[in-house]
């Protein structure tokens, strides 16, 4: 079936990196189609990169264009409930997203990954391990390279991170294996509740050959269709974990994969991410054992529980992206150290309640190091807590105390804009300081 047989006029709604990828894809594969672009922003990013022959409307949605379209390609950030989009849909005009266009054009196997947390790390790690196993792989989607731009690469496998927003407009994506990692409250301004949000994410299973779900979260299971279902979790079933001779091992159906002591990834949630990457590759027909060296060396995405320095038996971990309590709780989950944890917290608290951190902190050998505008709000959480005006002051104070087995972790549970431009700038600064101070550890 030629999906493009009666499509002559396409309207791309929303520019930016995704919109540009759609325009370039259409011009490359469907040069006879008339393309119009609209964006509600008055100066949308990417406007200067559009060909002069393509009409661009900015500052609002041009209703007449929408009603004249044969196909509307909507940016994921634009809800289908937007009145102008809904009116076009009610008229019978097809509304899709960039992932649906990818599905129409792609003939290679796909690993698709969604979830409220961890999907970027799983996507990146799965791609890195596939490369290490000798597979030509394209990695992108909601992370890094837009899916349509991946089609320009000479790949034999695609690994895609997909958001619920992208999945709303996707109905034809065939995958070798799809996974829904977990579900936690998010985007409630767009959805009618948690079930509505989960339903959008479960669209990742529509045409999946294999399905990987979280044993501990039934919301991640497909609710319709016939699927070959595999599961992962923290117990020792299927893809799981098991304690052997004092060490925790990632397990593949009772067969050990790797000890978590051999991973550079930090935290129980990251052990799960590593396990999922192995499971996805196996289900897609890739031998993950060819990539265990890659797994051992993998340090994570920038600013997400990333080991940025290691010297004298001390690890320095940049988790600057932890801008809320939930993210810091995830970083602390399952943390096991031979020595002391020096945890740096603080910044702009956004009115958050930090009390949830008290319980996990009580189980750790920790020095709580508080800084920044709202740093003093952490002081009651642990008897070890101390306050300093800046991260630099803290690092200068603690470095002489560091010993083999200790860890210095920046996981602030706060926004950064009291002292830094954004969480990336905060993470870069911590990394630079960590690499400087780590050499002073005896």
């Amino acid at each position: 079936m030629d999906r493009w047989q009666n499509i002559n006029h396409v309207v791309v709604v929303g520019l930016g990196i995704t919109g540009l990828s759609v325009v370039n894809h259409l011009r490359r594969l469907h040069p006879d189609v008339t393309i119009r672009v609209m964006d509600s922003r008055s100066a949308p990013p990417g406007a200067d990169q559009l060909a002069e022959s393509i009409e661009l409307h900015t500052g609002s949605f041009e209703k007449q264009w929408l009603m004249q379209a044969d196909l509307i390609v909507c940016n994921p950030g634009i809800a289908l409930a937007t009145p102008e989009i809904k009116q076009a849909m009610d008229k019978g005009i097809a509304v899709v997203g960039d992932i649906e266009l990818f599905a129409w054009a792609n003939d290679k196997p796909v690993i698709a990954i969604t979830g409220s947390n961890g999907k970027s790390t799983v996507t990146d790690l799965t791609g890195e391990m596939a490369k290490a196993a000798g597979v030509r792989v394209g990695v992108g989607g909601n992370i890094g390279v837009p899916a349509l731009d991946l089609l320009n690469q000479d790949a034999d496998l695609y690994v895609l991170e997909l958001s619920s927003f992208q999945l709303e407009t996707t109905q034809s994506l065939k995958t070798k294996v799809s996974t829904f990692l977990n579900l936690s409250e998010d985007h409630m301004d767009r959805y009618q509740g948690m079930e509505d949000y989960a339903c959008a994410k479960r669209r990742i299973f529509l045409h999946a050959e294999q399905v990987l779900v979280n044993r501990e979260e039934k919301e991640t299971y497909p609710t319709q269709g016939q699927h070959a279902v595999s599961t992962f979790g923290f117990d020792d079933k299927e893809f799981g974990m098991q304690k052997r001779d004092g060490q925790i091992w990632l397990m593949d159906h009772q067969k050990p994969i790797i000890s978590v002591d051999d991973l550079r990834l930090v935290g129980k949630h990251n052990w799960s991410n590593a396990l999922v990457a192995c499971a996805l590759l196996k289900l897609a027909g890739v031998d993950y054992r060819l990539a265990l060296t890659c797994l051992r060396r993998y340090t994570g995405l920038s600013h997400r529980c990333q080991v940025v320095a290691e010297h004298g038996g001390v690890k320095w971990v940049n988790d600057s992206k932890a801008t809320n309590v939930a993210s810091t709780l995830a970083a602390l989950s399952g943390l096991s150290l031979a020595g002391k944890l020096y945890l740096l917290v603080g910044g702009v608290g956004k009115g958050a309640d930090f009390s949830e951190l008290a319980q996990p902190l009580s189980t750790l050998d920790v020095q709580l190091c508080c800084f920044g505008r709202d740093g003093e709000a952490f002081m009651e959480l642990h008897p070890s807590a101390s306050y300093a005006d800046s991260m630099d002051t803290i690092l200068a104070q603690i470095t002489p105390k560091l010993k083999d087995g200790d860890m210095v972790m920046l996981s602030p549970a706060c926004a950064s804009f009291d002292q830094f431009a954004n969480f990336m700038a905060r993470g870069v600064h911590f990394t630079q300081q960590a690499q400087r101070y780590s050499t002073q550890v005896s």
Side-chain angles (χ1 to χ4, degrees), residues 131-401:
K131 291 176 193 173
V135 179
R136 294 183 301 180
V137 61
V139 181
N142 192 50
I143 177 179
V145 181
L148 290 170
D149 288 351
L150 293 176
L151 294 172
N152 300 327
Q153 300 180 10
D154 188 16
D156 295 321
L157 172 71
Y158 294 110
V159 180
L160 300 181
E161 175 189 318
L162 301 179
S163 70
S164 58
F165 295 174
Q166 289 173 311
L167 289 165
E168 287 175 21
T169 53
T170 302
Q171 50 266 350
S172 304
L173 181 66
K174 295 179 180 179
T175 66
K176 196 74 176 173
V177 54
S178 290
T179 188
F180 183 173
L181 300 174
N182 47 55
L183 183 71
S184 60
E185 189 172 81
D186 205 355
H187 306 304
M188 290 298 105
D189 55 342
R190 177 135 163 178
Y191 295 106
Q192 299 303 307
M194 288 294 285
E195 178 53 29
D196 189 30
Y197 175 40
C199 187
K201 286 194 169 294
R202 286 195 292 262
R203 294 178 64 84
I204 202 168
F205 299 136
L206 286 177
H207 305 286
E209 291 182 28
Q210 302 265 355
V211 163
L212 180 67
V213 295
N214 186 333
R215 273 196 297 281
E216 299 173 14
E217 298 191 31
K218 297 303 180 184
E219 301 88 348
T220 67
Y221 284 53
T223 55
Q224 56 187 355
Q226 299 295 317
H227 301 282
V229 178
S230 298
T231 69
F232 70 91
F234 293 113
D235 58 24
D236 61 0
K237 299 181 178 70
E238 293 191 54
F239 295 100
M241 300 181 195
Q242 189 178 94
K243 196 164 188 177
R244 293 187 170 195
D245 300 324
Q247 291 184 317
I248 297 173
W249 287 76
L250 306 187
M251 303 294 290
D252 175 356
H253 296 78
Q254 299 299 312
K255 295 180 180 178
I257 300 173
I258 191 172
S259 165
V260 299
D261 291 348
D262 289 337
L263 299 177
R264 298 197 69 194
L265 288 169
V266 173
K268 193 175 181 181
H269 65 298
N270 268 327
W271 302 346
S272 179
N273 291 338
L275 179 67
V276 169
C278 293
L280 289 172
L281 290 172
K282 180 178 180 179
L283 295 173
V286 178
D287 186 355
Y288 63 77
R289 295 192 180 276
L290 298 175
L292 292 183
T293 298
C294 169
L295 179 56
R296 287 187 184 93
R297 293 174 177 171
Y298 186 77
T299 59
L301 291 174
S302 296
H303 315 298
R304 300 181 188 184
C305 282
Q306 181 188 26
V307 178
V308 293
E310 190 169 357
H311 187 79
V314 178
K315 287 184 179 179
W316 303 67
V317 179
N318 171 20
D319 191 34
S320 184
K321 198 174 189 299
T323 58
N324 55 45
V325 173
S327 296
T328 299
L329 285 170
L332 296 177
S333 175
L335 204 59
S336 178
L337 297 173
K340 183 184 289 289
L341 172 66
Y342 291 84
L343 180 64
L344 278 63
V345 294
V348 180
K350 300 175 289 186
D353 177 5
F354 301 117
S355 61
E356 281 186 84
L357 292 169
Q359 194 281 325
L361 288 173
S362 70
T363 67
L364 296 168
D365 180 5
V366 64
Q367 168 73 55
L368 191 62
C369 307
C370 314
F371 72 99
R373 193 182 82 182
D374 294 329
E376 292 184 0
F378 293 84
M379 291 293 287
E380 296 181 359
L381 298 181
H382 196 272
S384 71
S386 61
Y387 178 82
D389 60 345
S390 70
M391 180 195 304
D392 290 4
T393 301
I394 290 171
L395 295 179
Q397 289 174 348
I398 67 173
T399 297
K401 305 176 185 177

Side-chain angles (χ1 to χ4, degrees), residues 3 122 284 342:
R3 299 178 186 272
V122 170
Y342 291 84

